Amino acid sequence: MSCGDTSDQSRRFCVLSWDQVQRLDSILGEAVPIHGRGNFPTLSVQPRQIVQVVRARLEERGVCVKDVRLNGSAASYVLHQDTGLGYKDLDLIFGVSLKDDQAFRLVKDVVLDCLFDFLPAGVSKERITALTLKEAYVQKLVKVCNDTDRWSLISLSNNTGKNVELKFVDSLRRQFEFSVDSFQICLDSLLLFDRCSETPMSESFHPTVIGESVYGDFKEAMDHLCQRTIATRSPEEIRGGGLLKYCHLLVRGFTASSEKDMKHMQRYMCSRFFIDFSDIGEQQRKLEAYLQNHFAGMEHKRYECLMTLHHVVNESTVCLMGHERRQTLSLISMLALKVLAEQNAIPTVTNVTCYYQPAPYVQDINFSNYYIAHVQPPQLSPCSNLYQTWLPCS
């Protein structure tokens, strides 16, 4: 990997090595299933195919695509495959102009129209509409339009959590949570090579691919990625404060670059999280969705993540009233208990104490039959100290 001069702008960029280009090419060529709801068939899509089709259709409709980038955990994996994080979603960013509502609608219509191209042979398309395809294959549609951010997201469904996420960005003030997920890789040169070169890539003949760290310093962010270091700035600017991702990184073996600074930032993370998710129902939905999307195939780590979150919230939350704080901590504890039950990890021992606390805001969860041993690390959640109002039951 070769880097340019040390000016502020050039420090953001770096040229990918041959090994990294090979990993990138492999990811773009790997068939990803897009699962349909109901009786709709599964679509098999290569990321490079959907990028090329969507880009061509946008340009046919008069939309100029400035560039296309691979973002997030997949970009981090390309740069350093031994992060311990792997990658789930394939985040693809299209740089476009979204000046009005018509532009947002056009982007959505183009993506849905492109899905027709990937329907298997033999499927009758006459009675299938764009609305039908949206209901069948789109997991999430997001539109953000304000003074600082203008972008939209279309997430295509995958039952294993490996969603293909197409993000169309005009402007986006905050593009990363932590330095280790701040990487973006420009795909234009590789896609152009696909179209124009009849000679296969080799170490001596391959396109120049540029990576960027929107954290601001590529080398520093790369060092953090290789050394599993947690670093960020201004977490209050991140939706949710980056709180859940922070706990996720801790569980995956990452450590803070500065323990003192990170303790200080934990307060900002918690404050922003409870600003964005102030209602206990919203908190439950957010936690359940995060566990489902980020721990598929690693269910055994969910409990540890929740206990880490419990510790951070208990230690660093200063923006909540006492009863609100206890309510959130109770929710986290009960979700952790549910995770243990799903894993059949509830210990069957005698002479243990069971605690309960009525929680009317949690629906369809009945923990009254569970006998709970002291499975939490005592330094994280000493229940006898946190919940003075809980009642012992036999």
Side-chain angles (χ1 to χ4, degrees), residues 331-367:
L331 170 63
I332 298 170
S333 295
M334 283 186 286
L335 288 176
L337 181 59
K338 181 182 176 183
V339 166
L340 286 181
E342 290 171 348
Q343 297 172 7
N344 294 319
I346 302 278
T348 55
V349 295
T350 57
N351 300 321
V352 297
T353 303
C354 169
Y355 293 96
Y356 76 92
Q357 181 182 37
Y361 51 83
V362 179
Q363 298 179 352
D364 299 327
I365 299 178
N366 179 11
F367 298 109

Side-chain angles (χ1 to χ4, degrees), residues 104-149:
F104 280 95
R105 286 195 299 272
L106 176 60
V107 163
K108 182 183 72 171
D109 292 344
V110 164
V111 172
L112 295 177
D113 183 57
C114 290
L115 293 179
F116 278 101
D117 292 5
F118 297 101
L119 288 170
V123 173
S124 177
K125 303 178 183 179
E126 286 77 11
R127 302 177 65 179
I128 299 178
T129 65
L131 179 61
T132 306
L133 289 175
K134 180 175 79 70
E135 295 299 324
Y137 294 109
V138 175
Q139 177 173 312
K140 183 167 56 177
L141 274 173
V142 179
K143 173 186 173 184
V144 176
C145 183
N146 55 44
D147 292 339
T148 58
D149 298 330

Side-chain angles (χ1 to χ4, degrees), residues 157-168:
S157 300
N158 180 280
N159 294 342
T160 64
K162 195 172 185 178
N163 299 330
V164 175
E165 301 203 331
L166 308 177
K167 182 179 282 188
F168 301 86

Side-chain angles (χ1 to χ4, degrees), residues 244 273-274 277-288 291 306-307 309-310 313 323-339 357-363 365 367 386-387 390:
L244 301 185
F273 180 85
F274 291 115
F277 306 100
S278 56
D279 178 73
I280 194 70
E282 291 179 330
Q283 294 169 21
Q284 180 177 349
R285 288 189 291 274
K286 178 63 177 178
L287 290 176
E288 290 177 337
L291 293 174
L306 286 167
M307 286 297 94
L309 175 64
H310 189 288
V313 170
H323 72 281
E324 294 173 324
R325 182 170 166 274
R326 289 191 296 270
Q327 193 178 50
T328 297
L329 291 171
S330 177
L331 170 63
I332 298 170
S333 295
M334 283 186 286
L335 288 176
L337 181 59
K338 181 182 176 183
V339 166
Q357 181 182 37
Y361 51 83
V362 179
Q363 298 179 352
I365 299 178
F367 298 109
L386 288 177
Y387 304 107
W390 284 22

Side-chain angles (χ1 to χ4, degrees), residues 174-368:
R174 178 76 183 216
Q175 300 186 58
F176 71 98
E177 290 184 281
F178 296 89
S179 61
V180 295
D181 60 25
S182 69
F183 299 104
Q184 297 181 1
I185 299 173
C186 187
L187 305 179
D188 295 347
S189 61
L190 187 58
L191 296 176
L192 180 62
F193 187 92
D194 287 344
R195 295 198 305 270
C196 299
S197 176
E198 297 180 357
T199 304
M201 285 197 307
S202 65
E203 185 170 3
S204 59
F205 183 71
H206 63 270
T208 298
V209 180
I210 302 295
E212 178 183 3
S213 169
V214 292
Y215 177 73
D217 188 317
F218 192 99
K219 183 179 184 304
E220 182 181 356
M222 193 68 187
D223 288 342
H224 293 164
L225 183 64
C226 295
Q227 298 168 14
R228 300 193 180 189
T229 300
I230 301 173
T232 189
R233 60 173 66 98
S234 304
E236 66 276 8
E237 296 178 354
I238 308 169
R239 176 163 173 79
L243 177 61
L244 301 185
K245 180 63 176 286
Y246 172 63
C247 295
H248 186 183
L249 290 173
L250 289 173
V251 167
R252 293 295 193 95
F254 284 67
T255 56
S257 57
S258 167
E259 195 71 24
K260 181 180 178 181
D261 290 346
M262 199 53 67
K263 292 290 185 185
H264 178 69
M265 286 190 180
Q266 282 179 187
R267 294 192 173 192
Y268 289 100
M269 293 179 195
C270 290
S271 296
R272 179 61 195 263
F273 180 85
F274 291 115
I275 289 171
D276 292 331
F277 306 100
S278 56
D279 178 73
I280 194 70
E282 291 179 330
Q283 294 169 21
Q284 180 177 349
R285 288 189 291 274
K286 178 63 177 178
L287 290 176
E288 290 177 337
Y290 191 89
L291 293 174
Q292 179 67 33
N293 293 335
H294 293 83
F295 289 91
M298 290 195 353
E299 288 76 8
H300 61 288
K301 288 286 188 181
R302 292 178 179 178
Y303 175 80
E304 187 179 350
C305 183
L306 286 167
M307 286 297 94
T308 301
L309 175 64
H310 189 288
H311 173 63
V312 172
V313 170
N314 185 44
E315 182 182 61
S316 301
T317 298
V318 295
C319 61
L320 297 181
M321 300 288 287
H323 72 281
E324 294 173 324
R325 182 170 166 274
R326 289 191 296 270
Q327 193 178 50
T328 297
L329 291 171
S330 177
L331 170 63
I332 298 170
S333 295
M334 283 186 286
L335 288 176
L337 181 59
K338 181 182 176 183
V339 166
L340 286 181
E342 290 171 348
Q343 297 172 7
N344 294 319
I346 302 278
T348 55
V349 295
T350 57
N351 300 321
V352 297
T353 303
C354 169
Y355 293 96
Y356 76 92
Q357 181 182 37
Y361 51 83
V362 179
Q363 298 179 352
D364 299 327
I365 299 178
N366 179 11
F367 298 109
S368 60

